[in-house]
Structures are given as structure tokens and as C-alpha cells.
Amino acid sequence: MNRLLAALVFCACSSFSWPVLSLAQELGSGEPLAGTERLTMEGDIAAQMVAGIDKFLLREIDLSVERRAKHWKRDFSSPDAYDKSIEPNRQRLAKILGVVDERVPFDAPKLVATTKESALVGRGENYEIFAVRWPAVRGVHGEGLLLVPKGEKVADIIAIPDADQTEMAKRAPPGQPGRANLTNREYLYRPAFELGRHLIGYEVQKVLAGVDWFAKEAEDKDAKIGVMGYGEGGMLALYTGALDTRVDATCVSGYFGPRERIWEQPLDRNVFGLLEQFGDAELTAMVSPRIAIIQKSVGPAVLLPSEGGAPAQTPVTTHQHVVLEQNRVTQIGDIRGVSFTSDDDFCNAMTRALFLGHFGVPEKYEDSKTPAPSKVNAVADPATRQQRQLAEIDRDTQLLLAESPYVREKFMAKLAATKSVEEYEKVAAEYREIFAKDVIGQFDNPLLEPNPRSRQTYDTEKWTGYEVVFDVFPDVFAYGILCLPKDLKPGEKRPVVVCQHGLEGRPQDTIGEQGSQ
């Protein structure tokens, strides 16, 4: 068919304000298309569209706080009833964090040693310190230091440092041609996100693998397990305590507060649909009625410039931030077991007393009576250990990528098994719903009346072009160019081709100098 099709060229979001291209076509009359109002907007319409979307999204984020309640059916009648009532939320949290893989069972962590270096790296007054590693999922391992008491064990505690304290937030190593200057965390986040996994999920899996081992070691006795962390480690401790009821006590320091500005923070904190159900208050309530201790300490601040990666900054966690989210915890309902302490030092005496007191350790805890451990051997080079951890997760995402066609085939099996067009359409609708909700992130907001506005902007030998704007949501409008062939007869209908330009482009880029051909 040689006749031109009607074409609608839409504008996508652009983060830069580019000037409109100078076109070779003769400019149109500015008159509106029949059945539409005249478009009177001036200036950079594409930039105005982006500004409107930004305003809409920020408002939606703010509204998400009060909307979260509809996703929870909490039953406070008993601890068991409460845990059962929030189980769907736990499953949702595990899914969006990528905590979906079966962990590798193991009998005990392996000592990290060589013929030149012992795994024993230090001794305390009544304990020894060993360098260890343990399996988590597939070929991904956790690594750390194991403190083994010489006497009776009181409890099993997992302590998680901030990312900067273990070099995980430093720049990716050089020697990767063509790659942007990403942090190691963003470098790992990007492929994991596309595969339904998450860097946070990998790290939580490492912590949960340790919980698995502690629970196994307890045998018939009730395991006493605690998780505590600072900064990024506090984030992981909070997620872990929310996900696993075997964790008796959770301590969070340097990471607690409103998450409505999480989009400004490092990209590896981005979790799909997080704010729909979860803020720090909701996560803390998931720990209840087990023990949750939130220390109002100042967290680490990081500023990441854009050098090919996502620009970001971690907000300084202030007492005021903590209080704002603390108030939300009290508004949720009968939330028990939650305590807040104040001090800028990580795990100060009061925090330790509350945390360890849950495990039967005397409340009085003086720093002067806790001498630092003596060094026995050097700990393995942290940069080498960090690179090993990075490489394991990187390889795992590539393994998942290679397996993904078979996973998709299994996922789509229900559609492939349909026997009729009617059955196919019904099943396809189910898949479309999944795609809209869990992949694209469709808004359920009702659409506004389109109220189309237009003006003739282009007049060529074969087609006439109209700039078109119509409403979508409050503050959100669509902007594009409608190209109509001049041999279109009154009342005639032809297929419409919707043409979408590329990233950072404009509708004008799509018609360009080729528009007259």
C-alpha cells in the first residue's frame, strides 16, 4: 500500500531541554484540527510535560503514605494471628527485594585461610575471632568474622556494617572499557533488577543464610538470634527482621526515617513498588511483637555525582527524621516491642543494654569493662574480599540471564496450552494484568477526559502535521505530532501508527528532514 498512514508521534520523558529542530517543511497555519480546541501553549511543551509528570509523581509519593493502610489486614488479637495476617505483605516484600531463591543448606561456615595465613585473626577476653565464608544462593557466599565464645553461648548475633565500611560503595574497578563510572553497588543492581533480583535481596539472603545456620545449630532448643546494623547495614537489618520471624531482636542505627525521597538516594536502594505498601514504619511494625530497637543516630552521608551512573545522595539521618517516622509507627496500631534510643555513636551503651538485655545479658554494660580484642593475624585484604563478593553476584546475574528464556517459557506455558482464540484471549488478559502491575507499574488512577488541543504546525506536499496535547492525569498530559496524509478523504479511516522516539528525543526528531518523503 503506497498511501501514507496516519501517524501519531508521541513525546516521551526527557531529562534535558533540547531546542525544537528547524524543519525544512513549510510551517502550517496554526489552526486546530476539526473537533479539537486550539492549542495555545507556548515555549518548550516537552519540558512542560516532564515538569507536570514530576509534579504528579511527587504528589503520588506523598499520597502513598496514607494509602498504604488499604494493603494491610492486621489482626492484633494474638502474636500468631498478627504474623498470619501480615504474611501476604511479607511475601510481597520478599518478591520486590528479590528474596525468591532457595538458599544453599550448609553444616557450618568454612574458615578462610591459606598456608601462609591462619583463619584465626584475633582474640578477645573470652572469645576468638575467625575469618569465615558461607553459601547463600547458588554460587554466592557471605563473608565475615565469626566471634566464638569460650564459655556458654548466650545468643547468636549478626552485625552488619555500612557499605562504605566494607568498600561496597566505592567506584567500580578500572579496566572495564565502555562502561560508565558506576559505584560497585549500582553496577550490580542494574542487571539484577531486570531479572527480578536485587542487590539488597542478595545481601539479605547472605544474612538469612546465617540465620538458617544459627537455627539449625540450636536443634531442639529455641534459637536466640539477633540482627543489628549501621547505615546500609541498618537497612539490611530492618529488611531481615521484617522478613524472618526467627530473628528475635533487630537493632537499626543510622538508617530510619521517611522514605518518600528515596528516589534521590543511591540507585541500589530503588525497590520496585516499595512505597505502595512499605515505609520504615511499616517494616518496623512487621518486626513486632518481636524486639525492634531504633537508634536515633546520625547515619553516613554519601554524595555521588553523575559520571555515567545515577547521581544521588544519602540524606543525613537526623533525630527529627526518626521522630517523624516514629510517630507513624505509633499510628499503625498495637505495635509492641519497639524501642527508640538517642545517641550519635553506633550501638551506644543504652542501645546495647536494650538489645542484649532481651537475651538475658545484665542491663548494666560499661565500655570500660570491654577491652578491645588483640590482633593475632592480619585479616584478608578487604579490597580482594570485596572484589570476590562483587564477582560472585555479577556471575550469578549472568547465570540467571542465560536461564531466563527457559524460565519465561515455563511462565508462559499456560498461554501456550490454550486451545481456542477465546481461551487464548482470556489467558492473555491475565498475563497483561501481571505485566501491567508487576513490570510496567500501571497507575490505577482514573483517566481524565482527553480534552484534545491542537494546532497545524507543518504543511508538506503529502501530509499535514498537527501538534496535539491531551490530558491524562492531573498535571499530566500527552504531547505529540499527528501527521495526516493529504489524500485522506472525508470520513475515510486508515490504520494509525503510533511512533515513539528514543531516549532524550522529541517528536520533531522522528519526522525530521525525512518528514517530507
Side-chain angles (χ1 to χ4, degrees):
M1 176 173 164
N2 295 325
R3 294 183 302 172
L4 289 175
L5 303 179
L8 185 58
V9 184
F10 271 119
C11 180
C13 294
S14 170
S15 59
F16 296 105
S17 179
W18 289 357
V20 175
L21 295 181
S22 297
L23 300 177
Q25 292 83 16
E26 182 181 345
L27 292 180
S29 65
E31 291 298 311
L33 184 66
T36 70
E37 299 292 330
R38 181 188 294 273
L39 176 61
T40 59
M41 296 178 68
E42 300 295 337
D44 191 338
I45 298 178
Q48 294 174 51
M49 183 191 73
V50 173
I53 294 173
D54 183 60
K55 184 177 180 181
F56 168 79
L57 291 175
L58 291 176
R59 184 171 61 247
E60 287 294 304
I61 290 174
D62 289 339
L63 290 173
S64 71
V65 177
E66 62 185 59
R67 290 173 178 171
R68 288 172 203 159
K70 70 180 182 181
H71 297 285
W72 298 83
K73 307 297 181 185
R74 300 181 182 90
D75 182 350
F76 294 105
S77 60
S78 71
D80 289 341
Y82 181 75
D83 280 336
K84 183 178 180 180
S85 69
I86 66 172
E87 183 57 28
N89 305 91
R90 280 205 176 96
Q91 293 178 6
R92 175 63 178 172
L93 180 62
K95 180 177 180 179
I96 62 178
L97 290 176
V99 184
V100 295
D101 298 298
E102 184 177 351
R103 290 184 293 277
V104 178
F106 62 98
D107 291 329
K110 292 184 178 180
L111 299 176
V112 179
T114 68
T115 55
K116 293 183 178 180
E117 297 176 336
S118 170
L120 179 64
V121 297
R123 289 193 177 94
E125 185 176 346
N126 58 353
Y127 61 92
E128 294 180 321
I129 307 172
F130 296 89
V132 297
R133 70 193 308 258
W134 61 94
V137 293
R138 291 178 293 275
V140 177
H141 294 76
E143 295 199 38
L145 300 176
L146 178 65
L147 280 63
V148 181
K150 294 179 181 179
E152 181 182 0
K153 180 180 69 173
V154 176
D156 294 305
I157 308 298
I158 299 174
I160 315 168
D162 179 60
D164 270 342
Q165 293 174 306
T166 55
E167 300 191 352
M168 281 299 287
K170 290 187 176 180
R171 296 293 178 182
Q176 301 182 54
R179 296 193 183 277
N181 189 18
L182 309 178
T183 67
N184 286 320
R185 298 184 68 80
E186 182 176 343
Y187 173 74
L188 293 176
Y189 159 86
R190 287 175 175 267
F193 189 86
E194 295 182 357
L195 294 160
R197 305 307 192 278
H198 201 291
L199 177 60
I200 293 174
Y202 277 112
E203 293 176 320
V204 168
Q205 288 279 44
K206 295 179 183 184
V207 177
L208 291 176
V211 174
D212 293 342
W213 178 55
F214 289 147
K216 176 177 175 291
E217 287 289 291
E219 295 179 342
D220 296 334
K221 301 178 182 178
D222 288 334
K224 296 181 179 180
I225 301 173
V227 176
M228 65 191 314
Y230 170 70
E232 220 76 23
M235 173 188 72
L236 297 177
L238 184 57
Y239 280 129
T240 301
L243 284 173
D244 200 317
T245 58
R246 295 175 299 175
V247 177
D248 299 295
T250 301
C251 180
V252 178
S253 178
Y255 181 90
F256 189 83
R259 292 294 153 208
E260 286 67 64
R261 305 292 291 188
I262 200 169
W263 55 272
E264 296 178 321
Q265 299 175 26
L267 188 62
D268 53 273
R269 290 186 177 186
N270 179 49
V271 178
F272 180 84
L274 177 69
L275 298 181
E276 181 183 37
Q277 294 188 24
F278 309 101
D280 285 5
E282 285 78 13
L283 295 173
T284 302
M286 293 174 74
V287 179
S288 176
R290 294 166 290 128
I291 301 300
I293 300 170
I294 310 299
Q295 185 184 359
K296 303 176 185 178
S297 60
V298 176
V302 176
L303 178 63
L304 301 176
S306 177
E307 298 174 353
Q313 60 181 0
T314 53
V316 176
T317 303
T318 65
H319 292 196
Q320 183 180 7
H321 288 137
V322 179
V323 170
L324 286 173
E325 201 69 4
Q326 178 182 352
N327 292 337
R328 291 193 57 244
V329 176
T330 61
Q331 294 168 6
I332 287 176
D334 189 17
I335 303 302
R336 304 177 183 181
V338 180
S339 302
F340 290 83
T341 64
S342 297
D343 200 293
D344 289 341
D345 295 329
F346 167 59
C347 200
N348 63 340
M350 179 185 296
T351 303
R352 289 197 302 273
L354 283 172
F355 184 71
L356 297 176
H358 174 70
F359 299 106
V361 177
E363 290 187 8
K364 190 174 182 180
Y365 198 91
E366 299 292 344
D367 288 340
S368 60
K369 295 183 180 180
T370 312
S374 59
K375 182 178 178 180
V376 175
N377 293 295
V379 180
D381 178 23
T384 301
R385 180 184 63 217
Q386 180 268 334
Q387 183 60 31
R388 185 166 58 240
Q389 296 270 284
L390 187 154
E392 285 187 350
I393 296 176
D394 191 23
R395 284 195 299 268
D396 193 68
T397 57
Q398 299 311 299
L399 171 65
L400 292 173
L401 179 62
E403 292 294 321
S404 63
Y406 310 106
V407 176
R408 290 196 298 272
E409 182 180 13
K410 182 178 179 181
F411 174 72
M412 300 297 293
K414 186 177 178 181
L415 189 65
T418 56
K419 304 297 184 182
S420 67
V421 173
E422 293 75 19
E423 184 184 4
Y424 182 93
E425 291 178 345
K426 181 180 179 180
V427 175
E430 298 174 9
Y431 282 102
R432 289 192 189 98
E433 180 74 8
I434 294 172
F435 185 71
K437 297 292 186 182
D438 293 343
V439 180
I440 296 298
Q442 174 180 288
F443 283 102
D444 292 327
N445 305 45
L447 294 172
L448 297 176
E449 290 296 323
N451 184 28
R453 288 88 75 196
S454 68
R455 63 182 169 223
Q456 184 185 342
T457 310
Y458 308 103
D459 188 8
T460 74
E461 180 183 351
K462 294 185 178 181
W463 57 270
T464 304
Y466 294 83
E467 285 185 287
V468 179
V469 165
F470 54 86
D471 297 328
V472 181
F473 298 129
D475 296 312
V476 178
F477 62 87
Y479 166 56
I481 300 171
L482 177 63
C483 302
L484 295 177
K486 286 191 172 180
D487 63 351
L488 189 66
K489 296 180 176 59
E492 180 185 0
K493 294 183 178 180
R494 296 184 190 177
V496 177
V497 176
V498 178
C499 183
Q500 180 70 61
H501 59 76
L503 183 66
E504 310 297 0
R506 300 295 182 96
Q508 291 79 3
D509 297 340
T510 305
I511 58 175
E513 294 297 331
Q514 299 177 358
S516 60
Q517 299 178 8

